[in-house]
Amino acid sequence: MDSLACWTATIWRSLSPFWGEEYTVNLPLDFHHLSFYVLDEDTVGQDDIIGKISLSREAITADPRGIDSWINLSRVDPDSEVQGEICLSVQTLEDVRGRCLHCHVLQARDLAPRDISGTSDPFARVFWGSQSLETSTIKKTRFPHWDEVLELREMPGSPSPLRVELWDWDMVGKNDFLGMVEFPPQVLQHNPPNGWFRLLPFPRAEEDSGGSLGALRLKVRLTEDSVLPSRYYQPLRELLMESVLGPAEEDAASPLAVLEELTSGDCRQELATKLVKLFLGQGLTGPFLDYLTRREVARTTDPNTLFRSNSLASKSVEQFMKLVGMPYLHEVLRPVINRVFEERKYMELDPCKMDLGRTRRISFKGAPSEEHVREASLGLLTGYLGPIVDAIVGSVGRCPSAMRLAFKQLRQRVEERFPQAEHEDVKYLAISGFLFLRFFAPAILSPKLFDLRDQHADPQTSRSLLLLAKAVQSIGNLGQQLGQGKELWMAPLHPFLLQSISRVRDFLDQLVEVDGKEEAGGPARALVPPSMTVREGYLLKRKEEPAGLATRFAFKKRYFRLSGEMLSYSKSPEWQMRSSIPVSHIRAVERVDEGAFQLPHVMQVVTQDGAGAPHTTYLQCKNVNELNQWLSALRKASAPNPDKLASCHPGAFRSGHWTCCLQAERSASGCSRTHSAVTLGDWSDPLDPDAETQMVYRQLLLGRDRLRMKFLEDSNMDTTLEAATEQGSSAMEGACTDALARQREAAARLLKVLTDLDQAHEEFQQQEQGKVVSGPLRP
């Protein structure tokens, strides 16, 4: 379904594109296949489909680790490209003439558009044994209402399945397939279909093109979760909060410490993201990060290795910076990053990678030499690095206070652990290792992944960004590794880098000079501050009531800005007169059928004013990528709003009826479900404490057996205690006894919480199974 679609960036002029993008999509519980399409973007006409990969649910779940491999693209068969649902009510009756079947075909929704108008002319065809009947054809709609009962008689022989097919009627040529549902005889007899059912493609073997269309490297993992009501997670949340609020001497025996020990390396990033969001919502991010960094510093003996591993502490600070520091990052880096993309200068210092033919003659005669290219590149690099360093060292006042407080706590822990004069640089390196090596440098290297650019860089620009990122990384290391390693060709940059280090030290000193306490977290809007501009750019806005105007004149170009509290627009960015829509008034953000205005890439923002009156604003984007980005931004900004609409119209009310369902009342209830909760799962998604705690519970489940063995059943835990007794140290014996008792108590409390959540999930599943057995599937 297009409402669940995610789009990568476009890679221009490449036969071997590299994306490196990761998406998390909320799928319906009854999904059967996950499809990936590779398209050739056409800036003028319709995009061309190169091929696709379709993965079944069974294929994805065959290995608990999911799929990670190259898969050949297959050709796209129109009969397999289906979407939407159909509403049926089936009864089997017996009379004097034998057994008959009544198939009540009520309606369908969200069907695939098969006609050039962006709609279809659907009709249903019902098969039972050797008999078949058809409904009437409903013209120009993706949301047909039939309300027709088709009666079929059972023929002699073995029981037959019921199959309902949907087709798009064409006056010229063959009809187009829209999807089908099929029910075996056992279901017809014991649990006759009654409700909404997802349309499926014709069953057929997936054709492998043998690699002639290319291949796509995918890493796919399916996680199935049922998020329970909030009250069930409260005991686990209380255990986690208690860990960070307890005394420092109990750090090693806290429930959070037990969770950290049970978490494997490949799960730490996801767990770190969820924990940071969970503590952010509770207003305890500062104590949480202090707890993790305190533990990390305490167990580090070599200061040169501090925070260099992918520990839970390192990952948590990294995700925290992304959560609260992205506006700051954009303000600091975007001007120079935009310059690099726009100017596309050739820069290269590595003689092994120099392409003398690609450089333009500037001021020297004859063919350029390596030395000439190196001098020109050095000038260009310092021309970009200078503004980057100036922007960073001058950004103390713009850095979020939460980040500054976290760095202040971190510096204090490092100074306590390594007070010696020879470790003077450690307090700087601990902060710069996060801020420069894990924040600024990666954003320079991959601007698309940090929302600094909409598209990935071309190869030449990517190389320039790599050189700049290496330089910023060296500055973050305070020049400790300059002249070492394999990249001696970076030596021409060393004078500039060394000059910048003293400025960076001063910047880090000023950064931690901050007073006050971290503000309490709260609703999801904590991720979208009211004053922060989330997205901006030109869109085409439809006039409110363009009576008598042709569609192409009804849309006017306006410059839009979306912040945490307002969607505003004007004729240009500098225009003083602005109109605005409060984000708190948004009730739905949805795509609009192309047939509504005969225009592609249109979305609607449905709002409700203070008096309760609904309003719909139609906006057209220039391409599908921009459409998805605006949809995601608007949905995330409006995530905390109450009274979201459960349904809306994907068409428009024109000529006295809705173009989607043909209802004649403007106030008629929506014919399509909304998708307000469908967002891309990443660090910028709204806070959801129940979903975040569910992920922590799932992580604990994976380590439950280890938890029992390590803390409750393993006699080896007494080794330290026995050793202390043999040495005659009563103090050590007492300390070990207390630590062991606290660890076992924490493990026992965690296991008790897991048992309670297990029982709650079992009861929930039994309730859901009871609903399926006793009643129809509801929309």
Side-chain angles (χ1 to χ4, degrees):
M1 296 174 64
D2 61 354
S3 57
L4 292 174
C6 302
W7 298 79
T8 68
T10 300
I11 308 295
W12 299 102
R13 297 180 295 277
S14 175
L15 294 176
S16 302
F18 173 80
W19 287 281
E21 299 181 24
E22 181 176 337
Y23 297 94
T24 302
V25 182
N26 298 320
L27 296 170
L29 292 175
D30 58 345
F31 93 98
H32 293 81
H33 287 79
L34 187 62
S35 296
F36 300 82
Y37 295 84
V38 180
L39 298 93
D40 176 25
E41 182 171 335
D42 193 328
T43 57
V44 179
Q46 188 173 6
D47 297 339
D48 299 318
I49 300 178
I50 298 173
K52 78 163 191 175
I53 293 170
S54 185
L55 301 176
S56 67
R57 186 192 196 105
E58 293 74 19
I60 299 173
T61 58
D63 188 325
R65 295 169 297 179
I67 294 173
D68 184 2
S69 64
W70 285 95
I71 305 175
N72 289 335
L73 294 173
S74 301
R75 300 187 186 281
V76 173
D77 179 2
D79 287 347
S80 68
E81 308 304 305
V82 302
Q83 66 180 57
E85 297 169 301
I86 186 170
C87 187
L88 301 171
S89 179
V90 179
Q91 288 182 311
T92 53
L93 307 171
E94 291 193 19
D95 55 23
V96 294
R97 293 186 295 166
R99 196 159 174 259
C100 68
L101 181 143
H102 287 186
C103 183
H104 191 178
V105 184
L106 291 107
Q107 57 181 311
R109 61 189 177 196
D110 199 25
L111 300 180
R114 295 298 193 219
D115 297 338
I116 194 171
S117 64
T119 62
S120 290
D121 303 320
F123 68 92
R125 184 179 292 156
V126 180
F127 297 86
W128 194 41
S130 60
Q131 300 181 72
S132 66
L133 292 174
E134 295 181 359
T135 67
S136 59
T137 300
I138 310 296
K139 296 294 187 66
K140 298 186 182 305
T141 180
R142 294 174 53 233
F143 298 82
H145 288 251
W146 290 285
D147 198 13
E148 298 181 23
V149 178
L150 305 181
E151 181 178 319
L152 301 95
R153 288 279 169 183
E154 186 175 44
M155 303 301 289
S158 58
S160 301
L162 171 69
R163 188 171 79 251
V164 181
E165 300 175 0
L166 293 190
W167 293 83
D168 167 49
W169 177 82
D170 282 336
M171 181 178 296
V172 180
K174 67 175 185 176
N175 299 329
D176 298 314
F177 180 68
L178 292 173
M180 60 161 282
V181 290
E182 190 170 55
F183 307 96
Q186 297 85 350
V187 172
L188 298 177
Q189 181 177 358
H190 301 292
N191 187 23
N194 184 10
W196 286 95
F197 302 93
R198 190 174 302 280
L199 295 172
L200 302 175
F202 273 130
R204 63 183 65 191
E206 189 77 21
E207 294 184 7
D208 192 324
S209 65
S212 62
L213 298 177
L216 192 63
R217 172 115 189 238
L218 293 172
K219 187 173 184 179
V220 184
R221 184 163 60 95
L222 177 65
T223 302
E224 297 185 72
D225 265 342
S226 298
V227 180
L228 302 171
S230 185
R231 65 181 183 275
Y232 291 104
Y233 296 110
Q234 192 59 30
L236 179 54
R237 278 198 288 265
E238 289 176 354
L239 281 181
L240 297 175
M241 303 305 152
E242 174 188 308
S243 299
V244 305
L245 296 176
E249 56 269 18
E250 296 183 4
D251 284 354
S254 69
L256 191 54
V258 174
L259 172 63
E260 184 178 3
E261 288 194 37
L262 296 176
T263 305
S264 59
D266 56 347
C267 298
R268 280 183 188 141
Q269 177 148 330
E270 184 182 7
L271 179 63
T273 302
K274 299 300 183 185
L275 286 174
V276 170
K277 287 186 175 183
L278 185 60
F279 282 94
L280 181 66
Q282 300 294 321
L284 294 173
T285 316
F288 167 66
L289 294 177
D290 185 44
Y291 168 87
L292 291 179
T293 54
R294 187 171 65 219
R295 280 175 48 81
E296 180 87 358
V297 170
R299 59 177 174 247
T300 301
T301 56
D302 182 0
N304 294 318
T305 64
L306 185 61
F307 299 120
R308 296 298 167 139
S309 65
N310 287 324
S311 64
L312 186 61
S314 298
K315 286 295 183 183
S316 295
V317 175
E318 183 178 339
Q319 295 305 307
F320 167 72
M321 290 190 297
K322 290 181 179 179
L323 278 163
V324 304
M326 292 306 280
Y328 165 65
L329 177 84
H330 291 176
E331 190 175 1
V332 171
L333 293 183
R334 179 168 275 155
V336 179
I337 295 298
N338 286 342
R339 271 187 57 206
V340 175
F341 272 79
E342 292 162 6
E343 295 175 1
R344 297 188 72 248
K345 301 287 188 180
Y346 179 78
M347 296 178 283
E348 186 55 74
L349 295 180
D350 186 354
C352 298
K353 295 183 181 294
M354 283 186 185
D355 184 355
L356 302 183
R358 297 182 61 181
T359 59
R360 290 185 298 179
R361 292 165 57 185
I362 302 175
S363 60
F364 37 82
K365 298 180 180 180
S369 64
E370 286 186 5
E371 184 60 31
H372 292 144
V373 174
R374 187 178 298 108
E375 290 178 3
S377 299
L378 181 62
L380 291 170
L381 283 169
T382 54
Y384 291 125
L385 280 172
I388 289 177
V389 175
D390 290 343
I392 291 175
V393 300
S395 67
V396 172
R398 288 173 287 172
C399 184
S401 59
M403 285 179 61
R404 297 181 65 183
L405 286 166
F407 290 142
K408 180 179 181 178
Q409 291 176 330
L410 173 60
R411 176 163 169 163
Q412 178 182 344
R413 299 300 178 189
V414 172
E415 286 180 323
E416 292 172 353
R417 179 69 178 86
F418 300 104
Q420 299 88 351
E422 63 266 26
H423 298 321
E424 174 69 17
D425 280 345
V426 179
K427 64 184 180 183
Y428 295 108
L429 289 168
I431 300 174
S432 65
F434 285 116
L435 196 56
F436 283 79
L437 275 62
R438 293 179 182 259
F439 199 46
F440 289 135
I444 294 170
L445 181 63
S446 303
K448 169 68 172 62
L449 302 185
F450 285 76
D451 289 341
L452 284 165
R453 298 287 297 187
D454 291 338
Q455 304 290 345
H456 288 295
D458 58 58
Q460 179 175 312
T461 305
S462 293
R463 180 61 182 173
S464 300
L465 294 172
L466 174 62
L467 295 174
L468 292 171
K470 285 179 178 293
V472 170
Q473 189 174 17
S474 296
I475 294 173
N477 280 324
L478 303 183
Q480 288 192 349
Q481 299 177 4
L482 290 182
Q484 303 176 18
K486 301 177 181 179
E487 298 177 346
L488 299 179
W489 45 266
M490 290 282 288
L493 267 179
H494 289 178
F496 176 88
L497 301 180
L498 292 172
Q499 292 173 6
S500 303
I501 289 172
S502 60
R503 300 177 64 196
V504 169
R505 289 177 187 270
D506 293 340
F507 162 70
L508 296 175
D509 285 332
Q510 296 173 36
L511 197 65
V512 298
E513 292 178 1
V514 57
D515 295 321
K517 297 181 179 179
E518 183 176 355
E519 296 180 359
R525 205 177 303 284
L527 297 185
V528 186
S531 61
M532 176 187 124
T533 299
V534 180
R535 188 161 188 83
E536 58 183 315
Y538 280 104
L539 298 172
L540 296 179
K541 177 185 177 294
R542 185 174 187 257
K543 295 184 113 180
E544 295 296 332
E545 292 294 337
L549 287 177
T551 301
R552 65 181 180 274
F553 299 118
F555 283 82
K556 297 295 183 182
K557 189 175 183 179
R558 295 291 182 264
Y559 192 86
F560 279 78
R561 279 194 180 94
L562 173 64
S563 69
E565 63 181 1
M566 203 69 66
L567 176 64
S568 60
Y569 57 93
S570 59
K571 287 187 176 181
S572 68
E574 301 80 17
W575 199 263
Q576 298 299 317
M577 301 263 313
R578 303 187 67 84
S579 301
S580 59
I581 301 171
V583 169
S584 60
H585 289 184
I586 295 177
R587 295 295 175 264
V589 183
E590 296 295 320
R591 289 177 172 83
V592 176
D593 291 343
E594 289 191 17
F597 303 107
Q598 307 301 315
L599 294 171
H601 317 313
V602 177
M603 64 179 174
Q604 57 180 314
V605 181
V606 184
T607 57
Q608 194 173 45
D609 61 22
H615 301 276
T616 302
T617 303
Y618 295 99
L619 305 173
Q620 186 187 18
C621 304
K622 63 183 178 182
N623 56 47
V624 71
N625 282 335
E626 185 178 73
L627 173 64
N628 279 281
Q629 289 157 3
W630 273 102
L631 282 170
S632 182
L634 283 163
R635 286 176 180 173
K636 290 174 182 178
S638 61
N641 292 354
D643 303 323
K644 290 288 188 62
L645 294 180
S647 62
C648 72
H649 291 280
F653 193 83
R654 305 179 66 194
S655 303
H657 67 271
W658 287 99
T659 59
C660 47
C661 58
L662 305 183
Q663 296 186 76
E665 295 291 332
R666 181 185 287 272
S667 59
S669 58
C671 57
S672 177
R673 287 179 294 182
T674 57
H675 304 88
S676 300
V678 177
T679 56
L680 302 182
D682 57 17
W683 43 262
S684 61
D685 274 350
L687 303 180
D688 187 345
D690 296 334
E692 288 142 14
T693 314
Q694 169 65 21
M695 188 273 166
V696 175
Y697 158 71
R698 178 160 37 89
Q699 187 62 42
L700 285 168
L701 280 184
L702 294 176
R704 177 156 51 183
D705 291 339
R706 289 174 54 205
L707 180 63
R708 287 197 184 103
M709 293 177 61
K710 184 173 180 64
F711 295 105
L712 299 182
E713 301 172 2
D714 193 352
S715 60
N716 291 332
M717 286 196 65
D718 296 328
T719 302
T720 305
L721 177 60
E722 295 172 359
T725 304
E726 292 174 359
Q727 294 173 7
S729 173
S730 59
M732 184 180 296
E733 178 183 350
C736 291
T737 301
D738 291 343
L740 179 59
R742 289 197 300 268
Q743 285 182 332
R744 285 179 167 166
E745 180 186 1
R749 294 171 67 189
L750 279 174
L751 288 171
K752 173 64 168 60
V753 168
L754 290 183
T755 301
D756 293 343
L757 281 171
D758 285 346
Q759 184 177 351
H761 274 283
E762 289 176 6
E763 293 175 356
F764 173 80
Q765 290 176 357
Q766 291 172 0
Q767 292 174 3
E768 291 299 305
Q769 291 171 359
K771 291 178 183 178
V772 173
V773 172
S774 62
L777 176 66
R778 296 298 179 190

